[in-house]
Amino acid sequence: MEALRVIISGGGTGGHIFPAVSIANAIRGQEAGAEILFVGAEGRMEMQRVPAAGYNIVGLPVRGLLRPLWRPGNVRVLMDFLRSKKMAKDTILQFRPHVAVGVGGYASSATLNAAYELGVPLLIQEQNSYAGLTNKSLAKKADKICVAYEGMERFFPRERILLTGNPVRQDLLNPTLTKTESSAIFRLDPELPTVLVFGGSLGARTLNESVMQNLDLIEGSNVQFIWQTGAHYFEAVRQKLSERGKPRNIFVADFITRMEQAYKAADLVVSRAGASSISELCLLGKPGILVPSPNVAEDHQTHNAMALARSDAAVLIKDTEALRQLIPAALSLANDKERLRRLGENANKLAFKDAAAVIAAEVIKLARRKERK
């Protein structure tokens, strides 16, 4: 039996890239000789993160549609899509995959449409409770659709859906890591309540502004903060803190590479409501305050956050209310040990602990079925 060959496509944000890499790692764990090739979008973060994870990647000149859709620039976007699809076909013909996996994002549409036309079986993975445009458009072509939430038959054919949960970075599950040593890495006191604030891999303006406007409140509290600003916002934050004076109970960084250390040190997590962030909170049983981004397709982050809030597994604060409510709410909740415990336990009940392995097994099953034919 020849070595398994898999194409995985998608990206744009960590919310697409981390699940994709987790699936690839799980495939390698089940099929040691598997050959895996990623296809992403030129200039997007997958072009750095995927090679750093040890995989080859091909970049396409694909871009997202401009809003509103009637903008003249979309003619160029369509031309880039058609060129990307042709490039994806050439890559597929050369690599000869047994199966193609799409995780959402610009490149996924071009690659999986090309794969479908060449007779390659498709598996798509939808991270959100409200399906993205790319995956909705691919639904009728996909052989299997792996989802993280109940009720996804309103977007996809029921008979092709498999409820798997979202794959997360497995390095987050480090049983030897302690709160004491993790707190020391951030120069914090392990005995004091600690809040981790991060806006995903790209940062979040609202979360950053909420912290900046409440520095006096934070400084006068008994609560410590680990604050990831995102690279785009870091210089402006650094300048403001330099002028004002950085509170001693805040650790600030543009990006935290070892997120397992930040999670372990934190008693409470404040974040956007991207699918990967939510899956990580659930897997780790961390209480969270979720501030859905208003700048995403179909407002899917609000749907994600509501799914947890309804189960008393997280607190939801609207983006428009964050500047006024977020930091006071975080300071209050960080000192409420019973509420933190209840939120964390309820979040953990929603976790899918082996999502990557389940999805990998489905990928391999599709590939072998193709090979037998």
Side-chain angles (χ1 to χ4, degrees):
M1 191 175 288
E2 63 179 321
L4 180 71
R5 292 184 300 277
V6 182
I7 273 184
I8 301 178
S9 185
T13 67
H16 289 135
I17 298 164
F18 296 138
V21 171
S22 295
I23 292 168
N25 291 341
I27 292 169
R28 284 262 177 93
Q30 295 178 31
E31 288 269 339
E35 298 176 29
I36 299 172
L37 177 65
F38 281 75
V39 180
E42 290 176 354
R44 305 292 288 189
M45 63 187 296
E46 60 263 29
M47 301 306 294
Q48 285 76 46
R49 296 288 171 81
V50 168
Y55 295 97
N56 294 326
I57 186 168
V58 173
L60 304 178
V62 66
R63 298 180 287 142
L65 288 167
L66 304 172
R67 305 298 173 102
L69 295 177
W70 57 82
R71 286 176 62 177
N74 278 326
V75 174
R76 182 65 186 169
V77 171
L78 179 59
M79 292 174 64
D80 285 342
F81 174 82
L82 295 174
R83 185 157 64 98
S84 296
K85 188 177 170 184
K86 170 66 168 60
M87 292 171 64
K89 273 192 174 180
D90 292 342
T91 298
I92 291 164
L93 289 169
Q94 182 177 1
F95 185 67
R96 296 182 299 113
H98 296 99
V99 62
V101 178
V103 296
Y106 310 141
S108 182
S109 179
T111 305
L112 267 70
N113 273 292
Y116 177 77
E117 291 177 11
L118 292 171
V120 179
L122 309 183
L123 180 146
I124 58 177
Q125 196 257 328
E126 175 55 57
Q127 295 105 27
N128 296 293
S129 60
Y130 196 96
L133 185 62
T134 294
N135 280 345
K136 282 193 287 188
S137 70
L138 290 166
K140 291 183 179 179
K141 301 174 182 178
D143 297 87
K144 186 66 68 173
I145 303 165
C146 296
V147 302
Y149 293 90
E150 301 274 6
M152 297 302 285
E153 59 273 5
R154 58 199 168 122
F155 305 111
F156 305 129
R158 183 189 299 270
E159 68 278 6
R160 300 181 196 179
I161 293 174
L162 180 64
L163 182 63
T164 61
N166 283 321
V168 301
R169 295 171 280 186
Q170 291 304 298
D171 56 4
L172 297 178
L173 298 169
N174 185 342
T176 65
L177 198 61
T178 68
K179 180 176 172 62
T180 298
E181 64 183 351
S182 296
S183 298
I185 290 165
F186 300 102
R187 300 185 290 280
L188 300 175
D189 183 344
E191 299 301 319
L192 292 178
T194 301
V195 177
L196 168 62
V197 179
F198 74 103
S201 52
L202 302 178
R205 182 190 301 276
T206 298
L207 300 191
N208 290 337
E209 290 181 349
S210 296
V211 176
M212 287 301 299
Q213 292 189 23
N214 288 277
L215 290 173
D216 291 343
L217 197 60
I218 292 171
E219 192 168 34
S221 75
N222 70 324
V223 179
Q224 306 169 125
F225 280 71
I226 300 171
W227 178 18
Q228 177 184 289
T229 66
H232 178 72
Y233 301 101
F234 182 70
E235 186 54 36
V237 168
R238 189 197 64 78
Q239 182 64 34
K240 281 193 173 185
L241 290 177
S242 176
E243 294 169 359
R244 179 212 179 269
K246 184 180 79 66
R248 292 170 59 184
N249 55 341
I250 294 181
F251 174 92
V252 61
D254 61 339
F255 184 76
I256 300 170
T257 304
R258 298 285 303 276
M259 277 298 290
E260 73 274 19
Q261 296 171 339
Y263 275 126
K264 180 62 75 170
D267 300 290
L268 171 66
V269 178
V270 174
S271 76
R272 288 302 200 187
S276 286
S277 297
I278 285 180
S279 295
E280 290 172 0
L281 292 181
C282 292
L283 183 67
L284 298 172
K286 285 288 178 182
I289 297 178
L290 302 174
V291 185
S293 171
N295 306 312
V296 294
E298 288 88 22
D299 194 28
H300 68 250
Q301 287 201 7
T302 295
H303 294 274
N304 292 350
M306 286 176 63
L308 265 70
R310 281 194 294 264
S311 299
D312 194 30
V315 174
L316 190 162
I317 292 179
K318 294 180 180 178
D319 188 85
T320 54
E321 299 171 352
L323 293 183
R324 181 172 54 86
Q325 294 184 8
L326 179 57
I327 297 304
L331 294 174
S332 174
L333 183 54
N335 280 293
D336 188 342
K337 290 185 178 180
E338 176 58 26
R339 179 92 168 107
L340 290 175
R341 183 195 62 77
R342 191 163 67 251
L343 287 170
E345 286 182 355
N346 289 339
N348 195 237
K349 290 174 185 176
L350 302 176
F352 291 85
K353 295 179 170 59
D354 55 355
V358 173
I359 295 170
E362 289 298 317
V363 171
I364 293 167
K365 195 185 302 181
L366 279 178
R368 294 310 182 201
R369 191 189 309 162
K370 159 81 170 174
E371 193 176 43
R372 285 195 297 272
K373 287 182 180 178

